Every structure is written in C-alpha cells, then in structure tokens.
C-alpha cells in the first residue's frame, strides 16, 4: 500500500519562514523513521568564549575540542555564501547553539534554524542566539525549534523549503536521518555529517557498521581513516537510492571522542561508475593493503601468498575509495582562514588550522589509495629503526611514488608504494 503525505497535514503555525520551492522533488520520504540526539554527558554551566563569541553551554553536551570541526563548518558556510549570495542553515542537533551562533556571525548566514530535540535547552539556545537580532517574517534571521531531527527535515521538505547547508552533529553511528537530510537540502547544497563510533570504524562491531552504513568493517591498522570512508560510503549509498551523488569536500578525524566529520556536496544524478565505491583489503602477514572493485571480489589475494584464499587477508566494505578531500576547495578554505587570521593557533595534540588544511591538500592527491603506513609499524615489521618522515617522503618521491602526510596520525604516511618496497626504501635511507 502506497502512503502519500500532503503538506496540508502539517501545522500551519510552523516557525520557519516559508520560501518558494527551488528543487523539483521526488515522492515524500517515509516519516516513520525519526531521530533525536540524547545528551550522554552533562556539564556544569559557565560562560565560554569561542573565536571571540561568548556563550553559555548550560547543561547541554559540549566539547571545547570540537571547536576545530566548527571552524571547518563555518569556513565552508562562508565560502558557500560568497559564491551563491545566500545561506540558509539547519543546525539539526544544535545543543547549546554555538554552531548556530557562529554560522550567523562568522558565515553571515541569512537564516539559521537551530533545532534540538530537548526542549529543556530552549532558554540556553535562545539566550545565546539573542546576541543577533531575531527579525520577523521574511527578515527573520533565526528560529529555535524542538523536534526530532528527522521531523524538522521532513517538515521543510513537505512544504518545498530547502536549506543550503545542513549540519548534523549526531552521536554514535546513527544514520537514520540521511535520507531526510538529502530531501531537505538544495541541489548543490552542503551536508555536514558526523559519526563518533570508533568501535565500528575499528572493525570491532562489523554488524553495527553494516546496519548503519552498509559496510562490513574488519580490524585494520588505519581504522580511523576507514571510519571517514565508511561514513562517506553510507551517504553515497543513500544518495544513489534517491537519484543523487555526493562528493566529499573535506573529511576530518579528531582523536577526542573520536569524532569523524565529512562535508559533502550533493548533486543530481547517479555516478556513471562505481570506481570510488568498493572494498579495502589488508594483509596482516605482510602489511600490504589494496582496493577491490565489485567485479574483483572473487579474485582477491595478496602478493605474499600463493593462494587467493589467504587467511591473513581481511576485507572491509563497501566504502568510499576516492580522495577524502577536494584539494582546490580546501585551498580556498585555507586562504579564507588566513584572511580571517585563524592560522597558527593549535596547541598540544591538536594540529593548528593552517597545518591541518595543508595536510588535507596533500591528502587530496587522487593517486593515493585508502590507508596509511605508520612508521613504527614498518620499523617493527622490518626490525629496524625508521627514518624521519621528511627523509622518507623525499625518498618515495624520488622513486616515483605519490606520498603525503596523514592528518589522522602524526607518524603516518599515505602512499601508493607497496609495503615491501616501502621497507626496502626505508632500509636504504637508514644505510645512506
């Protein structure tokens, strides 16, 4: 039985300013699946300052360490506003509202819908956003709502009111909101996704990752990069079901949490080929990793084994196999960060923003396969000391290989060099 929803079933007292439909759309999504974010941790309320903006987190879930992810979102939102001339944002799980406030002030958003399922946070959110005049009617700058995230997106889709950017700072590996997010987003718009499920990305909950992202993940030494690719891959799958395709503009891993964040641009039309959506293999015996396409699934093997059924070979996927970032886009982000004076501010284990974006630009090389080599793992396999990253990168380039640092781990190198050659080059460097 086909269930059709009509916009008339929605309340006429919606707090969102109504805009004219900008996208031809498909049938409405199924509203039976909805999502809200629980607040697993409560923090003591006291005034905080982030990028010069004072706010009160109240009793909401808030992490100072997530500021870098908020920086990246604001830079991207500002670039969108500069290129398109307008910016409407849905902060679907806004917490205390600091992301919403930053989109309003720093990205100059025309309108921000700050939604949080917990209505007990309303005073905190409204107090924080009240630094910006609310406005009325079509001039309204912001609104606070308390709905499940899926409901907030379905409501906008049903009345043909779409957003330029949807930021979903979700908890765990909940992906039930993906389809509704695609429906509520303008074509060419930006979708900023989150996962905090380090167990699934590490291969310790393969059936959980299969349910959430359609990927069966096994343990691999570069699990944190797998987490990003798993998240992108889940979005690729959902977008294809709706007749869309997505391209990652940047992918960011942070050790606290851990937190996996990816920014995707959404386009109409399916990809004509699936070369960037497939499987990753890793051999625990020799350390070699590779990618496998769908039509190669019965031909998997490792160069170190005479048999195609090597017990040391594990397979994860399907997931995103292409570049984690768009190099030209991240370059624009870096230039804007310099313009705003945001560079060289990192402390402790956190990369400063300039270094982070510079490494992302390196990682965007399309020749680089999924994964990275950790220098200490290489040294352990070869029973040797390891050369410096700088020397190793120079040697790999001389041998004709692509190479970059990894923003995920400080002693990791991304390269298309096989592990056996990598070890030989490292030994040569130590003897020279």
């Amino acid at each position: 039985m086909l269930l059709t929803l009509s916009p008339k079933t929605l309340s006429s007292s919606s707090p969102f300013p109504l805009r004219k439909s900008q996208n031809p759309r498909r049938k409405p999504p199924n509203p039976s699946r909805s999502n809200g974010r629980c607040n697993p941790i409560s923090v003591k309320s006291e005034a905080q300052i982030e990028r010069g903006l004072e706010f009160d987190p109240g009793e909401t879930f808030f992490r100072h360490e997530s500021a870098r992810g908020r920086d990246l979102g604001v830079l991207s939102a500002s670039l969108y506003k500069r290129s398109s001339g307008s910016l409407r944002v849905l902060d679907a799980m806004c917490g205390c509202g600091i992301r919403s406030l930053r989109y309003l002030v720093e990205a100059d958003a025309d309108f921000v819908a700050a939604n949080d399922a917990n209505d007990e946070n309303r005073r905190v959110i409204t107090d924080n956003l009240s630094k910006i005049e609310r406005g009325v009617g079509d001039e309204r700058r912001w609104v606070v709502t308390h709905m499940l995230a899926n409901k907030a997106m379905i409501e906008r889709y049903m009345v043909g009111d779409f957003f330029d950017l949807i930021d979903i700072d979700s908890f765990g590996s909940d992906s039930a909101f993906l389809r509704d997010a695609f429906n509520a987003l303008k074509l060419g718009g930006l979708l900023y996704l989150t996962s905090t499920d380090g167990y699934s990305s590490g291969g310790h909950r393969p059936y959980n990752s299969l349910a959430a992202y359609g990927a069966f993940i096994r343990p691999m030494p570069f699990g944190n990069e797998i987490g990003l690719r798993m998240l992108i891959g889940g979005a690729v799958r959902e977008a294809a079901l709706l007749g869309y395709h997505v391209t990652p503009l940047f992918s960011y891993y942070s050790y606290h949490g851990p937190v996996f964040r990816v920014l995707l641009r959404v386009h109409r039309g399916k990809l004509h080929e699936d070369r960037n959506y497939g499987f990753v293999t890793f051999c625990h015996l020799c350390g070699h990793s590779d990618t496998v396409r769908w039509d190669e699934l019965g031909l998997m093997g490792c160069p170190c084994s005479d048999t195609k059924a090597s017990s040391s070979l594990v397979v994860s996927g399907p997931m995103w196999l292409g570049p984690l970032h768009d190099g030209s886009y991240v370059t624009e982000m870096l230039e804007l960060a310099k313009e705003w004076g945001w560079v060289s501010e990192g402390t402790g284990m956190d990369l400063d923003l300039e270094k982070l974006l510079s490494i992302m630009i390196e990682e965007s090389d399309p020749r680089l396969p999924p994964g990275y080599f950790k220098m200490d793992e290489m040294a352990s396999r070869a029973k040797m000391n390891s050369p410096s990253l700088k020397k190793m990168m120079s040697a790999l380039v001389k041998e004709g290989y692509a190479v970059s640092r990894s923003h995920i781990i400080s002693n990791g190198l991304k390269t298309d060099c096989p592990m056996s050659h990598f070890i030989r080059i490292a030994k040569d460097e130590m003897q020279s």
Side-chain angles (χ1 to χ4, degrees):
M1 180 178 71
L2 179 64
L3 175 64
T4 302
L5 298 181
S6 167
K8 294 181 181 179
T9 62
L10 295 176
S11 169
S12 61
S13 60
S14 171
F16 295 92
L18 180 61
R19 298 296 177 94
K20 184 179 179 181
S21 174
Q22 302 184 50
N23 290 353
R25 285 288 173 170
R26 304 157 310 286
K27 296 178 182 179
N30 183 350
S32 63
R33 299 178 66 193
S34 54
N35 178 75
R37 180 178 181 178
C38 62
N39 291 334
I41 299 177
S42 178
V43 295
K44 185 176 181 180
S45 174
E46 59 181 41
Q48 307 287 334
I49 295 178
E50 186 169 299
R51 293 292 185 192
L53 295 174
E54 184 174 327
F55 64 98
D56 181 2
E59 300 301 315
T60 66
F61 178 73
F62 171 76
R63 280 196 177 114
H64 290 286
E65 298 89 345
S66 296
R68 185 63 75 230
R70 292 188 283 270
D71 285 347
L72 298 176
V74 168
L75 288 170
S76 298
S78 181
L79 288 176
Y80 186 98
K81 174 69 181 284
R82 290 186 177 191
S83 65
S84 69
S86 63
L87 175 65
R88 288 168 50 81
V89 178
L90 170 60
D91 189 358
M93 302 177 186
C94 72
C96 68
I98 179 56
R99 280 189 309 276
S100 297
L101 179 61
R102 294 189 61 181
Y103 283 132
L104 286 165
V105 174
E106 296 168 320
D108 193 26
D110 299 285
F111 174 74
V112 172
N115 180 74
D116 194 87
N118 188 352
D119 58 7
E120 294 181 359
N121 296 336
R122 184 173 187 83
R123 183 194 60 79
V124 171
I125 300 169
T126 54
D127 285 352
N128 288 330
L129 296 186
S130 63
K131 298 174 177 60
I132 303 298
E133 186 176 351
R134 187 193 301 259
V136 295
D138 289 341
E139 301 301 318
R140 181 179 291 186
R141 293 289 309 280
W142 56 270
V143 66
V144 177
T145 59
H146 299 289
M147 293 180 275
L148 298 175
N150 288 64
K151 183 178 179 182
M153 293 183 282
I154 290 172
E155 180 177 302
R156 291 299 89 208
Y157 163 56
M158 289 295 295
V159 295
D161 186 23
F162 306 107
F163 292 94
D164 300 291
L165 187 155
I166 297 179
D167 188 326
I168 307 177
D169 188 20
S170 55
F171 183 79
S173 56
D174 190 353
S175 60
F177 49 75
L178 277 174
R179 190 169 301 188
D180 296 321
F182 285 127
N183 282 327
L185 192 67
K186 288 183 182 178
L187 294 177
L190 307 179
L191 182 57
Y192 198 16
L193 298 177
T194 311
S195 170
T196 61
D197 189 355
Y199 285 102
S200 291
S201 65
H204 306 297
R205 294 176 179 171
Y207 290 98
N208 187 72
S209 62
L210 182 63
Y213 304 109
F216 196 85
I217 304 299
R218 304 288 300 279
M220 295 182 175
F222 39 87
N224 291 327
E225 182 175 316
I226 292 294
L228 294 171
R229 296 184 178 279
M230 173 184 73
L231 180 55
I232 299 171
V236 167
R237 181 188 63 167
E238 286 295 326
L241 289 172
L242 300 173
Y244 293 158
H245 70 272
V246 300
T247 53
L249 298 179
F250 70 77
S251 309
Y252 171 61
Y253 165 80
S254 180
Y255 65 90
H256 77 277
V259 177
F260 306 87
R261 300 225 64 180
V262 297
L263 182 74
L264 308 173
R265 191 185 298 279
V266 181
H267 310 269
R268 179 176 293 283
K270 297 181 181 180
L271 289 173
H272 298 297
E273 53 183 282
D274 61 0
R275 62 186 179 88
N276 284 331
Y277 187 62
F279 301 81
V280 175
T281 65
F282 177 77
C283 178
H284 286 282
L285 182 62
C286 71
H288 179 73
S289 63
D290 203 354
T291 58
V292 178
R293 312 300 172 186
W294 290 85
D295 58 357
E296 300 171 331
L297 284 174
L299 305 173
M300 291 180 295
C302 183
C304 74
S305 175
D306 294 331
T307 173
K308 293 295 182 182
S310 171
S311 60
S312 64
L313 192 69
V314 296
V315 185
S316 292
M319 68 182 76
W320 177 256
L321 303 179
L324 292 173
H325 326 281
D326 180 317
S328 60
Y329 185 85
V330 179
T331 299
E332 290 185 59
M333 292 175 66
L334 177 56
E335 292 304 313
L336 182 57
K338 291 179 179 178
E339 178 185 325
W340 285 357
W342 280 12
V343 299
S344 302
E345 294 183 357
T347 58
M349 295 180 65
D350 193 15
L351 290 170
D352 72 86
L353 188 57
E354 182 176 21
K355 183 177 180 182
L356 172 63
L357 294 173
S358 296
I359 293 178
M360 286 180 171
I361 294 170
E362 291 180 18
E363 290 179 312
S364 67
D365 188 335
R367 297 173 297 170
L368 295 172
Y372 46 77
F373 292 143
K374 293 186 285 188
M375 295 300 290
D376 53 352
E377 179 192 349
M378 180 279 299
S380 177
R381 287 184 179 276
K383 296 179 171 55
M384 57 174 282
N385 294 324
S386 63
S388 67
L389 287 180
K390 185 176 181 179
K391 286 186 176 180
M392 194 65 191
M393 291 180 69
S394 178
L396 287 166
V397 170
K398 287 181 181 178
E399 295 255 356
Y401 293 109
V403 62
S404 83
R405 295 167 292 174
S406 169
H407 86 273
I408 294 173
I409 185 169
S410 60
N411 69 334
L413 288 180
K414 292 182 62 63
T415 179
D416 57 350
C417 176
M419 175 62 90
S420 58
H421 294 186
F422 192 87
I423 291 175
R424 174 187 59 79
I425 294 171
K427 287 182 176 179
D428 290 345
E429 281 301 302
M430 292 301 294
Q431 294 172 0
S432 62

